[in-house]
Amino acid sequence: MTETTEKKDLVQEDVQVENEEITEETVVAEQVELTVEEQYEAKLAELQAKLDDEENRHLRLRADFDNMRRRSQLDREAAEKYRAQKLLSDLLPVLDNFERALQVEATSEETASIVKGIEMVYRSLVDATEKEGLQVIKAEGEAFDPNFHQAVMQEQDSEKETGVVVRELQKGYILKDRVLRPSMVSVNE
């Protein structure tokens, strides 16, 4: 080979080596760029996940707050609706005592006037409690309902159906839709 040819071959080899180096540098640069892009994408995905978590946390907190506000409102409404419950529960024995006092027969004019006075006081007390929403539970002749009646004994009456309240031993009362005291009853077998 001639010297020129050898130089040409060397030059070509140099060019090939340079081209390979340039290609390798390009590949390395592209890898670095891809790695930087991947890093940005990873960082973006991480930030998006954090944002989603914070949004979910915010939504849960808001739902909890709404539920708390709703419960609070229901509690206030119930407190207003049943504000007299304690007082009326304390007055039930008083009503029972008035009813017992009214069952006494008046034998003289003087006792008749006392009974009449007791009846007037009893009537005004019943009217005041009814204004607050107190109602008597109907028992005698009704079907036994464990939500409103408390069976303390059983009787046999062939004229009445089974499970019907035969006698009311103590009145029961309801305040609006709550049972303050169930009726104590005797039920037919």
Side-chain angles (χ1 to χ4, degrees), residues 159-176:
E159 297 175 9
K160 295 188 179 183
E161 295 179 26
T162 303
V164 173
V165 175
V166 179
R167 279 189 303 144
E168 181 178 53
L169 304 171
Q170 183 182 39
K171 282 186 177 181
Y173 294 94
I174 295 175
L175 175 61
K176 303 199 175 157

Side-chain angles (χ1 to χ4, degrees), residues 64-81:
D64 287 345
F65 179 74
D66 289 343
N67 289 339
M68 185 188 70
R69 187 173 356 133
R70 198 174 312 116
R71 270 193 309 264
S72 164
Q73 178 68 24
L74 290 174
D75 289 347
R76 276 194 306 267
E77 289 172 2
E80 177 62 27
K81 185 176 183 181

Side-chain angles (χ1 to χ4, degrees), residues 138-154:
K138 295 179 183 175
E140 203 165 312
E142 300 285 322
F144 176 75
D145 183 354
N147 296 316
F148 299 106
H149 306 124
Q150 180 181 1
V152 291
M153 57 190 286
Q154 291 183 335

Side-chain angles (χ1 to χ4, degrees), residues 92 96 99 122 136-137 139 168-173 181-184:
L92 295 182
D96 293 339
E99 289 171 0
Y122 172 73
V136 175
I137 296 174
E168 181 178 53
L169 304 171
Q170 183 182 39
K171 282 186 177 181
Y173 294 94
R181 181 176 76 187
S183 298
M184 289 173 50

